[in-house]
Amino acid sequence: MSTVSPVLRNRSARIALTVVVAIALIAAPLLLPAFANQTLVRIGVYAVAVLGLNIVMGYTGQVNLGQIFFVGLGAYVTAYGVNHGWNIIVVFVAACAIAGIVGLLVALAAARLGGLAIAMVTIALPIVGVPLAKRLSEFTGGSQGISARFSDAPDWSGLYSDQWQFYIVLLVTAAAFLLARSLVQGKYGRAFGVVRENEAVAASMGVSPYRTKVLAFTIASILGGASGFLYLAAVQYTSPETLSFGHSISLLAAMVIGGAGSIAGSLIGGAYYVFVPQLTNAIDPSFTTLSQGAILLVVLFLLPEGLVSLPRVIRRLGRRRTARPTSGNPPQTAPAHHPVPEAAREGLENTERQDRP
Amino acid sequence: MGMGTFIQLVVDGLSTGAIYAALALAIVLVNQATGLINFAQGGLAVLSSYIAYVFVRLGLPLILAIIVAVVLSFFIGALVERFLVRRFERGDPDTAVVVTVGLLTLVTGLCAVLWGYNNLGFPSLFPLTSVEILGAVVSVRSLATTVTIVVIMVVLQLLFLRTKLGLALRAVADNPASAAFSGLPVGRLLMVGWGLAATLGAIAGVLVAPQLTLTPGMLDTALVYALAAVILGGLSSPIGCVVAASAIGVLENLVAVYVPFIGHDLKIAVPFVLIFVILVLRPQGLFGRKVVVRV
């Protein structure tokens, strides 16, 4: 957030902007057509899942290929609770807590190995999850799935269901994003960053890489569970297809394309997850997977910090073109992550030679 | 269920285990050379199988179609290393992993666009008959698949231990900087490493395709098994991976039949429950040594 224009550094301007955004979000469902509301609702659902993935992957550097499993788990817990007449607050807490506990158990084992092992273990979650969901048909409704209606607008509100769902999703999504923002800005966020950069340094500073990874993974799972709750609020139905491997890959692609290690990027990731398949499906459904892979690779090549860094990159390019003196530079962000293209292109021998004094 | 069933299950398990082992070895090969895990290894193998399918449809004899596809796979693997992965090799390993996931998505999508999602039948290289061994009926295909993969592993081992190319490949894997200083063409050797891995994957793909039938996601599950084998065997131990892959193949087959609660649909959970237990009891893996890093 340090790169926003100087206007926003002003405290009162910032508060004013927050109020305007809040009013706009509260007013939006009353003014927009139902289809737009439903789309925004789905963006909120997946933004929370991407946010969780961002905590463990973007901020802590642990590749997680199984985030969709926790979304599915949260959705199933929600469906079960609703159909058994639990209070909706209890349902929400259970969806988050059960996903969190399962995530904790997985992380306790997986984080014992090096970073890439977490990726190798988590890829199994959706692949084991789908047959498991089919098998446990008492709870999940088997292959047909299970529906649960709890998000229809109550009569006293005078709202349509899409508007009511919008407010449910807005409430949870806003809370999740605000909590995640304070988390990554605080001491845990710094611990995540150190573990991502160098585990040995983290350990020497008294930050346990193991515990930090487990914590990040558990938080990601809890957010996955919350996203599952929202999914059921929006769709009112879930099936084993919800937690398929392909969807897990799409979540990861959305996170990277939105911007790894960025709270705002998670929101963009949620929007990507909803919009781009809609777009490619409209053109030709068979191109959906291909275009997703192509977009992901292009972003990794050209914009490694994701779409959220696009304004910054454009500004930097613009500055270079006008060749202004670099005196009044705003803080240059994160050159550390950029691979040096020349070094990479010329291969190993040359870079080694350049490194010599 | 007598002894006959048991032997049949073990032999079938060994043949699926051989497929997992080939993929696991390809993953280890890439990891040794470039230090990353290639999640697209299965996807590339599926592409190779589709290429073989195309040549079969063009009228080439099956064995020739397979050879052409395997050779082409070598070049596909090498080109992927050169033009896609090389740029990310020395950077953040997590980013490189995401690149291979992107590649998996791209290749799967490409296969879907070119050949669709419908299952396509792939002819079997081996006869679908069975023979009797020790009173058990065993399919020739299972036996032949296992033997083929074992022969290829031996050839690969000879390549690595007995040839100059193998020595160079091992040198690059061990220490790329020193290898470069001693005049080895590191870049080209990395391409060869990726090419060999793709070749290995292609062979696994065409051997298992008749059984699974061709779909873009044909090897997703096999990839997960191979990764489980890599975790259990240790990234630094090719032999460990082969042992682990065979053990997984046999164990999942036995569990599917003898433990009714798990059955055929949940047998994929078996290696991961095993991993879970082992990680809690023995964090360094079955064969791996505890790594000590100097800061």
Side-chain angles (χ1 to χ4, degrees), chain A residues 12 16 23 36 79 88 124 168 190 210 212 234 251 258 266 286-287 299 321:
Chain A
S12 52
I23 291 174
I88 199 64
I168 296 177
R190 286 196 296 279
Y210 178 67
T212 309
L251 270 187
S266 306
S286 61
F287 277 91
V299 166
R321 193 162 302 159

Side-chain angles (χ1 to χ4, degrees), chain A residues 14-37:
Chain A
R14 203 184 264 191
I15 291 171
L17 185 77
T18 311
V19 171
V20 168
V21 169
I23 291 174
L25 281 173
I26 290 169
L30 305 174
L31 307 171
L32 291 170
F35 178 73
N37 281 341

Side-chain angles (χ1 to χ4, degrees), chain A residues 33 36 61 76 111 117 124 202 222 224 315 353:
Chain A
Y76 274 126
I222 293 172
R315 224 177 303 140
R353 231 166 269 142

